[in-house]
Amino acid sequence: DVKVTQSSRYLVKRTGEKVFLECVQDMDHENMFWYRQDPGLGLRLIYFSYDVKMKEKGDIPEGYSVSREKKERFSLILESASTNQTSMYLCASSGWGGGQETQYFGPGTRLLVL
Amino acid sequence: AQKVTQAQTEISVVEKEDVTLDCVYETRDTTYYLFWYKQPPSGELVFLIRRNSFDEQNEISGRYSWNFQKSTSSFNFTITASQVVDSAVYFCALSGGSSNTGKLIFGQGTTLQVKP
């Protein structure tokens, strides 16, 4: 079975802190994605990566950066956390088949920024 | 532009009722893929089904069935004899065949509540 894990299920941080969200997949997938999910707004793509050290901005990249040093690991970084970044963060991965590939999701991290 | 619309925000049914979740999509791609995901209260999105644009055959998996109609750009999901465990948020999603990265466009989701 495909397994995508995220480092924390729940996280509480202070405004201005640097926050790291880690995601690891065990299926040797090329593509990895970070989404945030907010009530009424659905899932919105923050960043994605199609290869090691490669990244592309999604729909809402402002305030975030990412790092992919190894194929199995994709990190989302909040350089200076703000209260409007309180959200549910979901990581996903998929193979290199383009649009036909299924994205598999991790359990999510609920981040609260105080 | 690609778009997915799930017009039903919330649906409430009583256990054993059948329920259909609607999904309408827009795309200019001739090859595309449609997905349904389930998000239970625990938060993880669980993959349910993938359909490609060339395969309009309906699919049944246990109590779940999917009706794909290109003529109306719809990919509806029916749960037969619903159960309390079906309570979740359900997302419909679309990816284009021209995409080499598999980016998904999600609908807003439909919250299904099944009451005992």
Side-chain angles (χ1 to χ4, degrees), chain A residues 13-37:
Chain A
K13 295 293 181 181
R14 296 280 179 192
T15 301
E17 279 192 74
K18 191 169 186 176
V19 181
F20 292 87
L21 303 183
E22 304 285 337
C23 176
V24 178
Q25 50 95 3
D26 67 356
M27 283 303 292
D28 201 35
H29 281 166
E30 286 76 12
N31 297 327
M32 295 188 75
F33 306 81
W34 274 108
Y35 296 88
R36 67 176 281 177
Q37 182 180 10

Side-chain angles (χ1 to χ4, degrees), chain B residues 9-21 38-41 63-64 77-90 110-116:
Chain B
T9 305
E10 294 184 17
I11 300 176
S12 182
V13 300
V14 176
E15 205 169 20
K16 298 185 182 177
E17 282 186 40
D18 298 346
V19 57
T20 295
L21 309 181
K38 174 183 179 180
Q39 186 179 40
R63 296 184 296 106
Y64 294 172
F77 173 30
T78 296
I79 301 174
T80 302
S82 60
Q83 300 176 0
V84 173
V85 293
D86 296 326
S87 297
V89 182
Y90 291 86
T110 297
T111 299
L112 174 64
Q113 183 182 33
V114 181
K115 299 177 181 177

Side-chain angles (χ1 to χ4, degrees), chain B residues 59-87:
Chain B
E59 178 140 347
I60 298 174
S61 176
R63 296 184 296 106
Y64 294 172
S65 62
W66 290 269
N67 182 5
F68 176 31
Q69 293 195 342
K70 287 179 75 170
S71 61
T72 56
S73 297
S74 64
F75 185 42
N76 296 337
F77 173 30
T78 296
I79 301 174
T80 302
S82 60
Q83 300 176 0
V84 173
V85 293
D86 296 326
S87 297

Side-chain angles (χ1 to χ4, degrees), chain A residues 29-33 49-50 68 92-98, chain B residues 100-102:
Chain A
H29 281 166
E30 286 76 12
N31 297 327
M32 295 188 75
F33 306 81
S49 168
Y50 51 90
R68 193 165 180 202
S93 72
S94 69
W96 186 243
Chain B
N100 65 353
T101 58

Side-chain angles (χ1 to χ4, degrees), chain A residues 4 9-10 31 33 35 37 40-43 45 48 50 56-59 88 90 94-108 110, chain B residues 32-35 37 39-50 52 89 91 94-109:
Chain A
V4 180
R9 292 300 299 270
Y10 300 93
N31 297 327
F33 306 81
Y35 296 88
Q37 182 180 10
L41 298 177
L43 277 81
L45 182 64
F48 66 99
Y50 51 90
E56 282 197 25
K57 294 179 180 179
D59 301 319
M88 170 73 142
L90 290 157
S94 69
W96 186 243
Q100 67 181 319
E101 293 290 334
T102 298
Q103 286 189 26
Y104 294 93
F105 284 80
R110 296 183 191 273
Chain B
Y32 52 89
Y33 303 86
L34 294 161
F35 302 80
Y37 287 87
Q39 186 179 40
S42 60
E44 180 175 354
L45 263 74
V46 177
F47 165 69
L48 296 178
I49 191 171
R50 180 186 69 207
N52 72 57
V89 182
F91 290 95
L94 165 72
S95 70
S98 58
S99 165
N100 65 353
T101 58
K103 287 175 63 176
L104 282 176
I105 307 299
F106 283 90
Q108 295 298 308

